[in-house]
Amino acid sequence: MVGVDAALGGAGLRNVHVREYVRYWAELTGAARVEVVSASDDARLLGEALADGEILPAGEGRYYSRSYVKDTARSEERTVVATGNPADQGVYNNWRPASEMRPLLEERMRGASAGKTMYVVPYLMAPAGSPLERYAAGVQLTDCRTVALHMIRMARVGVHYIDSLADQNSFVRAVHVTGDLEKLGQGTPGDQRYFVTIADERTILHFGSSYGGNALLGKIAHGLRQAAYDGWASGEFLAEQFMLIGIADTLTGKRYHICGGFPSASGKTNLAMMLAPGALTGRYRVDFYGDDIAWLRVDPDDGKIYAINPEFGVFGVAKDTSEATNPTALAAVAPGTGTLFTNVAYNDDTQQVWWEGRTPAPPADVTGWRDWTGTLIGERPAEDTSAPWAHPNSRFTTTLANVPNLAPDFGDPAGVPIDAIIFGGRARDREPLIRAITDLAEGVYDGLTLGAEATFAAEGVEGLLRYDPMSMRPFMSYPEGAYAAHWLKVIGSAASQPIFAHVNWFQRDRKGGHYLWPGYRDNLRPLLWLLRLKEGKVRGRHTPVGIIPAKDELNLDGVTTTPEDLQTILSIDTLRWQQEMKHREQHLEQFPGLPEEIWQAHRRVAAALHDAG
Ligand code: SPV
Ligand code: MN
C-alpha cells in the first residue's frame, strides 16, 4: 500500500506516534488506502455511503442501515480482556495473556482489509479540557465507513484532539477489522470473532463484526473496559456503565446530579431522558447528560465527586421507544437530526422507519415495508409472519445535542458534582420502589449485588437474579475484589459523600401481574425524596436493607396508584430478603480479595434481617 504518509500529512495529522501506528496496521491489514476522518467529513461520507447503497435515506436528514443477519449484538463470549499479568484475571473479564491474544488477532487481521479504505478516526472520550483528558484520547482504525459515521455521532472526532496531546504517545490504539462476515461462524464452536482489549498496552483489537459496541471502539471498549482499567491503574477515577442526569428545583434554584447503573433492558435510557411528570413541571426540570457511561473522579480542591459523560451521542435501543415511554428520544431522532437507524423496519417507498412499540400496532398498509433482514413484510413465509419487524436490539444513533432536554453544561470539562448514586434492576418482587443507603460500604455492597431477573426464572429457580455488579459485568476489566476496593478508595476519599439508593420501577402484583408503579416520568418522585432525605428534610423509615419513604413523604400529586399497591412497594418482604441473602453470599464468595468492609456490610444486613424476622 502506498500513500499513508501523504494521506496523514494531507489531513494535517502530525503526531508521529499516530503516524507510526497507522502505518503498521495499514500494512498488516492490507488496506488499499487510508483516509483521515473528522466530524466535518460527515456530509461527504454520508453522500458516499448513500451512493454505494451502504445506507438508505430515512426521510429528511436521517439514514438507515442493515447489518449482516448474524451480526446484530455485542458478544460477551467472544470478548476478552488481555494483559501481561495473570493476576489481572477476574471472574467476568475473560482474561487471557496479551502474549497469546496479540498474535492471534494479528493473524486474523492480516490482509483482511484488502481492497478496502482504512478510515483513521481520531477521537476524544471526554469534553475537551477535562482533568481526565489524558485517558480519553484514541485513534480508531476501521475498514467500515458506516462505523466511521457512527463514531462521528458517538464521540468527539477530529485531528486536533490527537495533535494537541500533551503526551503525544498517550492515546488508545483501537483497531477494528470487519472480516468476511459470512464466513466467521458466529455463534458456532468455530466462531472466528475476537473482541480484545489489551488493557495494559492501551490497545483494542476487534475482529469480526461491524455492529455497535463490537465496532464503535470509543464506546464500551475504550469508554468502559479500557477506562475502568486506567482508572484503577492510576488510582484516579471510576469508569462505569451509568446514566447521568441533573434535577433543577426552580423554586430554590438548587441543582442536583444523580448517576447510576442498571443492567441492560432495565430502562436506563428512558430514565436518563425523562421529563418531570405533568404535575411537577412547574417546579422541577430534569436535564439529560448521558444514558450509558459516566467517569467519576474526586476533585482534590473541593472534595466533591465529579462525573462526566465521555460520549458525544446516544446509541439507544429502538424497541419500545414511543411518545409514552420516551418522548425526548423520539425528538432526538426526528427529521433533520442526522440519526442513523440500524436494523429497524424500513419502507422502500416512503423511507419511513418503524419498530415494535413505536405505535401499538404495525402499519396497517404493509406496502413497501421490509423487516430488519430486508424481507418484504408482505412476502414473509407463513412461519415468519409473527416475527418482529425490527430486531430486538435495533438501534438509533444520534448526537447528544439532538436531545431536547440536554443539560446546558453537558460539555463542562470539570463535569458535574454528584449528589446520589443509584442502582436498579428489573425485579418483580422484593425490591421496594426505593431504599436509600447512607453508608459507603453498604452502597458499594448494594452495587455489587445488583441483578436483573434473567432466564433463570425459566429454569425454575424462582426469584434468582442474574447478578450484574454495578451493571458492569460485561465490561469488567480487572478482578472484582480490586474493583470493590477501588470504589471504596475513590468514593471514600470524597469529603462530601453521595447518598446511595436502590430503585425498582418494576414490582408486579402477585395475582394480576400488573405493574404496581406507573414508572417513566413518575420515577422522578422517589428521586426527589432521596435528595430531600440527603438534605435532612424527610426522615424515611429505617429497615434492615435501607431507608424507605414514609407514605406521606413521597410527592404523589397526580399519581394514579392504589393505596394497596403503594403499601406493597413501600414495604420490605423480610422472608424474600432472607432467601436473597443466601444467593448473595454465594455470589460474593466467587470474588477473591473482596474487601472486609464489603463482607461486614453483608453480615450487617443479614443480621438485621434475621432480627427483623
Ligand atoms: C450495551 O450493550 O450496554 C450498549 C450497546 O450500550 S453496545 O455499545 O453495543 O454494547
Ligand atoms: Mn450500555
Side-chain angles (χ1 to χ4, degrees):
M1 209 211 50
V2 290
V4 175
D5 279 316
L8 300 179
L13 203 160
R14 286 182 298 276
N15 183 319
V16 293
H17 303 280
V18 175
R19 290 174 76 126
E20 187 189 316
Y21 154 68
V22 176
R23 258 196 309 269
Y24 180 83
W25 287 98
E27 188 157 315
L28 186 137
T29 60
R33 65 196 81 80
V34 160
E35 184 181 320
V36 180
V37 171
S38 284
S40 56
D41 294 312
D42 194 52
R44 179 180 54 81
L45 291 170
L46 285 167
E48 291 172 12
L50 285 165
D52 284 0
E54 205 173 279
I55 60 173
L56 299 169
E60 188 222 325
R62 308 198 299 180
Y63 309 92
Y64 174 63
S65 83
R66 275 185 199 109
S67 70
Y68 175 59
V69 286
K70 292 182 186 163
D71 185 31
T72 55
R74 207 158 36 73
S75 161
E76 290 180 25
E77 312 74 52
R78 306 303 302 168
T79 301
V80 166
V81 174
T83 68
N85 184 0
D88 289 339
Q89 173 157 25
V91 174
Y92 296 133
N93 68 351
N94 273 345
W95 181 87
R96 303 272 283 275
S99 58
E100 178 188 316
M101 296 315 290
R102 185 183 276 274
L104 211 149
L105 268 289
E106 292 205 346
E107 185 192 308
R108 305 245 153 131
M109 290 179 172
R110 186 161 286 117
S113 302
K116 295 188 179 180
T117 299
M118 173 181 274
Y119 298 93
V120 177
V121 188
Y123 65 82
L124 193 66
M125 296 303 290
S130 158
L132 297 175
E133 188 172 318
R134 64 187 169 287
Y135 303 107
V139 179
Q140 170 159 3
L141 308 179
T142 176
D143 60 7
C144 178
R145 184 165 40 204
T146 310
V147 169
L149 287 168
H150 276 93
M151 281 298 290
I152 289 173
R153 282 153 184 74
M154 294 303 297
R156 291 163 173 89
V157 169
V159 169
H160 55 286
Y161 293 121
I162 216 77
D163 265 347
S164 60
L165 288 177
D167 174 356
Q168 293 272 298
N169 198 18
S170 177
F171 61 93
V172 168
R173 288 155 168 81
V175 186
H176 167 245
V177 172
T178 304
D180 188 348
L181 294 175
E182 296 182 15
K183 297 199 181 124
L184 297 177
Q186 293 90 341
T188 69
D191 203 326
Q192 297 292 302
R193 301 171 299 162
Y194 263 118
F195 309 115
V196 183
T197 297
I198 308 178
D200 55 354
E201 297 177 24
R202 306 195 77 228
T203 296
I204 297 163
L205 304 175
H206 278 210
F207 173 78
S209 166
S210 61
Y211 200 84
N214 292 343
L216 321 175
L217 304 187
K219 188 174 176 55
I220 55 176
H222 180 165
L224 287 174
R225 287 188 200 96
Q226 181 65 54
Y229 191 90
D230 289 343
W232 171 56
S234 66
E236 279 184 50
F237 68 108
L238 302 167
E240 306 296 331
Q241 192 191 208
F242 280 5
M243 62 94 207
L244 175 59
I245 58 172
I247 297 175
D249 182 338
T250 58
L251 192 69
T252 63
K254 284 194 180 163
R255 299 192 65 200
Y256 307 87
H257 301 93
I258 300 179
C259 64
F262 295 73
S264 301
S266 299
K268 183 157 55 86
T269 300
N270 292 343
L271 179 68
M273 292 190 177
M274 95 181 142
L275 299 170
L280 305 187
T281 44
R283 174 149 181 196
Y284 298 101
R285 192 187 73 234
V286 185
D287 291 332
F288 172 79
Y289 286 89
D291 77 324
D292 202 37
I293 303 180
W295 290 4
L296 279 64
R297 69 182 173 94
V298 174
D299 190 298
D301 292 334
D302 65 9
K304 290 184 184 166
I305 301 163
Y306 283 83
I308 55 165
N309 169 16
E311 300 197 271
F312 194 60
V314 177
F315 181 60
V317 175
K319 186 175 179 330
D320 289 332
T321 303
S322 70
E323 271 88 5
T325 63
N326 196 339
T328 42
L330 282 188
V333 303
T337 53
T339 300
L340 274 168
F341 295 97
T342 311
N343 288 352
V344 297
Y346 178 78
N347 190 306
D348 286 343
D349 303 338
T350 63
Q351 304 180 350
Q352 287 174 292
V353 290
W354 187 85
W355 51 83
E356 273 64 28
R358 172 69 189 82
T359 49
D365 178 2
V366 302
T367 313
W369 280 103
R370 291 181 188 271
D371 71 11
W372 69 274
T373 69
T375 307
L376 277 170
I377 297 295
E379 292 180 5
R380 298 205 295 182
E383 65 271 21
D384 283 353
T385 49
S386 60
W389 289 23
H391 189 281
N393 192 38
S394 59
R395 300 268 176 165
F396 57 83
T397 310
T398 187
T399 54
L400 296 180
N402 289 324
V403 181
N405 63 329
L406 179 66
D409 57 348
F410 85 98
D412 186 337
V416 290
I418 290 298
D419 298 283
I421 298 175
I422 63 175
F423 301 110
R426 217 174 235 282
R428 70 178 59 229
D429 69 351
R430 185 176 54 75
E431 278 294 1
L433 180 63
I434 185 166
R435 51 186 177 85
I437 298 164
T438 52
D439 173 76
L440 169 62
E442 279 182 33
V444 174
Y445 163 72
D446 191 72
L448 294 172
T449 51
L450 175 62
E453 275 163 12
T455 47
F456 292 112
E459 289 159 26
V461 191
E462 191 52 36
L464 187 57
L465 301 180
R466 179 188 195 255
Y467 290 108
D468 186 347
M470 307 262 187
S471 68
M472 283 291 283
R473 180 177 172 139
F475 314 110
M476 207 62 98
S477 52
Y478 60 99
E480 291 76 7
Y483 176 88
H486 186 48
W487 257 86
L488 293 174
K489 187 181 121 201
V490 172
I491 303 298
S493 73
S496 43
Q497 285 290 298
I499 192 164
F500 287 86
H502 196 109
V503 297
N504 178 26
W505 326 130
F506 301 101
Q507 199 168 156
R508 300 229 202 177
D509 174 62
R510 291 281 175 94
K511 292 180 220 98
H514 70 272
Y515 287 107
L516 302 183
W517 176 250
Y520 302 114
R521 292 179 170 207
D522 289 313
N523 296 337
L524 182 63
R525 300 167 192 275
L527 299 182
L528 289 172
W529 171 84
L530 180 68
L531 296 170
R532 286 170 63 75
L533 181 75
K534 188 172 183 227
E535 291 184 327
K537 304 231 172 77
V538 292
R539 301 184 51 192
R541 206 154 62 73
H542 288 251
T543 81
V545 291
I547 307 168
I548 62 178
K551 231 171 288 171
D552 55 355
E553 291 173 351
L554 273 183
N555 182 336
L556 294 173
D557 266 3
V559 181
T560 49
T561 172
T562 67
E564 299 76 49
D565 287 356
L566 201 60
Q567 166 71 29
T568 308
I569 60 177
L570 296 182
S571 54
I572 300 298
D573 183 340
T574 307
L575 202 68
R576 283 285 292 109
W577 269 99
Q578 288 169 343
Q579 292 165 350
E580 166 64 11
M581 293 310 279
K582 298 191 193 97
H583 298 309
R584 287 186 170 194
E585 187 142 333
Q586 285 167 7
H587 164 63
L588 294 179
E589 270 166 0
Q590 300 174 88
F591 308 133
L594 203 62
E596 185 51 29
E597 292 100 305
I598 301 296
W599 280 117
Q600 282 167 2
H602 174 74
R603 281 185 226 115
R604 249 190 337 267
V605 174
L609 281 164
H610 181 266
D611 293 346

